[in-house]
Amino acid sequence: MMKRTKTSGKQLAHRLSSLLHKQTLGARRSIKWKQTGVQTQRRQAKEKKKKANKQPHRKVQREGRKMTHGTRNGRKPFITVMYMVAVCSGVPIGDLLERAAQHSDKLYSLSTTLTHDLDSHFPPMGRMIMPRPSACHTSSLQTPGDKEQALQESELLSLARSLLQAWADPLVVLSSSANTLPHPAQSKIINKIHELQEHSKNLGDGLNIISGKMDPTAQTISSLPYRGGNDVGQDKLSKLIKFQFLLSCFRRDSHKIDSFLKVLRCRAAKTQPHLC
């Protein structure tokens, strides 16, 4: 009996020792898990803070990629480019005018191509009854005719901005009317009108930024309201004539804008002032 009791005591002591060892291990694991949880929380907080700090940098990188590669259809978002270089980089105004001149050249080139596309199927009678250029809604704006009459830089920029703003509504009319234009190249014309709208809007926004770096006169914009209605007519001939007329007016004004900006670019460069 004594031997069996002694053996049972040893077993009990062993079991108590094992239980105590397990509890100790469990406590250690619990402490370790808690420490790991705290470390994980701290690491996540650091990563979150680090990520938040990187957000502005990543935004600048994204904008930089846009500036370099443009959009999917190959057109660079001019306002983004101008804002980034003007506000973030402090690029000289000469470089901003260089970019503006490139976009105005594209605007004039696109309007010229569109005019030629319409001319290919424009009825001879339409040429005889189409209004004269003096009937364009922007004809009242006094502009210099050549470089001898060229104005101050701020005045030239004001004229360019006034012309761009004057075409905001008429371009909407051209865009909506292109959907029903009786022309075999209708889809091609629709796409180019949309491009005109985009380039005009982006160029106008970019020039607004440039005007802030020039004389206050550059902030002045002349009002040239369009009162030609919301469509280009009902019958086939009237649609073609008014559409062609509006487009020819825009082509003339886009040429003026392009000329003004190239004079400004030339003057800013100061390399050959006799040519400006």
Side-chain angles (χ1 to χ4, degrees), residues 22-265:
K22 289 179 181 179
Q23 289 177 345
T24 302
L25 289 177
R28 288 178 180 175
R29 290 194 187 102
S30 178
I31 293 172
K32 186 176 181 180
W33 289 340
K34 290 180 180 179
Q35 290 176 342
T36 302
V38 172
Q39 292 174 352
T40 301
Q41 291 177 353
R42 289 176 179 174
R43 185 172 61 254
Q44 290 176 344
K46 288 181 180 179
E47 290 177 353
K48 186 176 181 180
K49 184 177 180 180
K50 187 177 180 181
K51 184 177 180 182
N53 292 335
K54 285 186 176 181
Q55 287 301 321
H57 177 66
R58 289 178 179 174
K59 185 175 180 181
V60 171
Q61 286 182 327
R62 287 195 296 268
E63 298 298 344
R65 285 194 292 270
K66 289 181 181 179
M67 290 165 59
T68 304
H69 301 293
T71 55
R72 291 183 179 180
N73 56 15
R75 296 189 295 271
K76 293 181 175 63
F78 181 63
I79 180 58
T80 300
V81 176
M82 298 300 289
Y83 181 82
M84 290 295 294
V85 296
V87 178
C88 299
S89 305
V91 173
I93 193 170
D95 293 343
L96 302 182
L97 287 169
E98 172 65 31
R99 170 65 71 176
Q102 291 175 6
H103 280 269
S104 65
D105 184 78
K106 176 63 178 177
L107 197 67
Y108 174 58
S109 176
L110 191 59
S111 63
T112 300
T113 302
L114 256 174
T115 303
H116 291 163
D117 290 342
L118 285 170
D119 280 342
S120 62
H121 290 81
F122 195 68
M125 183 182 297
R127 302 182 191 281
M128 293 186 293
I129 61 178
M130 191 169 73
R132 294 181 178 276
S134 58
C136 296
H137 72 287
T138 56
S139 60
S140 61
L141 186 66
Q142 298 297 317
T143 58
D146 50 47
K147 66 179 183 180
E148 281 72 23
Q149 300 176 0
L151 306 172
Q152 295 296 320
E153 287 79 1
S154 57
E155 294 176 307
L156 287 174
L157 188 60
S158 174
L159 289 173
R161 295 178 66 219
S162 297
L163 288 172
L164 278 172
Q165 180 170 297
W167 278 99
D169 292 337
L171 283 177
V172 173
V173 174
L174 286 174
S175 178
S176 60
S177 301
N179 296 319
T180 58
L181 190 68
H183 195 282
Q186 183 192 48
S187 60
K188 185 178 179 181
I189 292 172
I190 290 174
N191 292 334
K192 288 184 178 179
I193 291 294
H194 289 164
E195 286 187 53
L196 280 182
Q197 284 182 288
E198 182 179 342
H199 278 288
S200 181
K201 174 64 168 59
N202 292 340
L203 180 57
D205 290 340
L207 294 184
N208 290 345
I209 293 173
I210 295 176
S211 68
K213 301 170 76 70
M214 298 181 69
D215 185 88
T217 306
Q219 302 288 336
T220 304
I221 295 181
S222 301
S223 177
L224 301 165
Y226 174 71
R227 298 187 176 90
N230 298 323
D231 56 50
V232 293
Q234 300 299 322
D235 60 281
K236 178 180 178 180
L237 184 60
S238 63
K239 283 184 178 181
L240 285 172
I241 291 174
K242 189 172 181 179
F243 198 95
Q244 177 79 340
F245 172 67
L246 271 177
L247 193 57
S248 65
C249 290
F250 180 80
R251 178 175 177 269
R252 187 187 70 160
D253 288 342
S254 65
H255 182 257
K256 290 180 180 180
I257 294 168
D258 188 46
S259 299
F260 298 158
L261 293 181
K262 286 178 178 175
V263 169
L264 290 173
R265 179 185 63 181

